[in-house]
Amino acid sequence: MFNLRFFTLCMLSGLLSLLPLTTYANTATWQALQEGGLVILMRHSLAPGIGDPPGFVLEACETQRNLSSEGRAHAVAAGQAVRERGVAIDAVYSSQWCRALETAELMALGSVVPAPWLNSFFRGRGDQVAITQAARERMAGWQGPGNMLLVTHQVNITALTGGGVSSGEMVVVRPQEDSFTVVGRLSVPSR
């Protein structure tokens, strides 16, 4: 015997299971950011390729891997998402690499301070231990009242959190006495 109510409930359950599980997590993470006192570790927006080309010079953007038009659009959208949700950003630091600086500047969330302690150490470009320790110290010392945005690189975020991160993805952490805990992750789509 066909039970329409049972069939409808099964179909509804199946459809609900297709929804992304991150919806609630994103909402909770945005709410935590609205309360302030957190640190946002953000990988620079999309800059196609891996590492930097031969002849890399920190002070010369034309020698580096830079943001694509999609990466620039994403940075603008990410900044807009932060503003639309009323998230206070009290400090913005960025790696000195052009793709990170441009991401931070396009987000337009405040004055961007170039920070060597966020520079990439991919392929031996810097001292991983020293850079990671300096970033940990800055993060642990953050007290708000708003949030601190750190725009950096995948290798830096992986060294700090133990997990990978996509271009433009943000890992939100709560500073603790000498460490931090991960609150959540945010991915803002380009508009």
Side-chain angles (χ1 to χ4, degrees):
M1 165 185 257
F2 182 75
N3 182 331
L4 184 58
R5 176 180 274 170
F6 179 74
F7 177 76
T8 303
L9 286 173
C10 287
M11 291 300 293
L12 186 56
S13 290
L15 288 174
L16 288 175
S17 71
L18 296 175
L19 292 175
L21 294 175
T22 58
T23 302
Y24 172 76
N26 280 346
T27 301
T29 303
W30 283 116
Q31 287 173 343
L33 282 168
Q34 289 167 344
E35 295 168 13
L38 302 179
V39 176
I40 304 167
L41 284 166
M42 180 179 183
R43 180 180 178 188
H44 60 77
S45 293
L46 183 62
I50 297 174
D52 284 289
F56 166 88
V57 176
L58 185 59
E59 298 77 19
C61 292
E62 65 276 6
T63 67
Q64 301 179 31
R65 181 168 59 95
N66 294 299
L67 296 183
S68 65
S69 59
E70 182 182 343
R72 287 188 291 280
H74 172 267
V76 170
Q80 187 173 348
V82 170
R83 286 188 298 281
E84 286 174 356
R85 287 169 177 81
V87 172
I89 302 294
D90 288 350
V92 181
Y93 294 93
S94 172
S95 158
Q96 295 174 302
W97 265 241
C98 294
R99 58 187 170 270
L101 284 167
E102 187 175 16
T103 298
E105 290 164 359
L106 288 171
M107 289 178 77
L109 295 172
S111 297
V112 178
V113 178
W117 47 273
L118 293 173
N119 286 353
S120 177
F121 46 79
F122 185 67
R123 294 186 180 153
R125 292 219 187 265
D127 182 340
Q128 176 180 349
V129 173
I131 290 171
T132 302
Q133 183 59 36
R136 278 189 191 283
E137 289 170 6
R138 290 291 187 123
M139 292 166 62
W142 182 252
Q143 296 180 6
N147 303 290
M148 178 169 63
L149 172 64
L150 307 178
V151 182
T152 187
H153 307 269
Q154 179 271 319
V155 293
N156 301 66
I157 295 171
T158 298
L160 289 163
T161 66
V165 63
S166 302
S167 293
E169 187 176 8
M170 295 176 262
V171 179
V172 179
V173 301
R174 183 177 311 284
Q176 295 176 325
E177 196 168 304
D178 60 350
S179 186
F180 57 86
T181 57
V182 175
V183 173
R185 297 164 88 80
L186 296 169
S187 293
V188 176
S190 297
R191 296 181 181 189

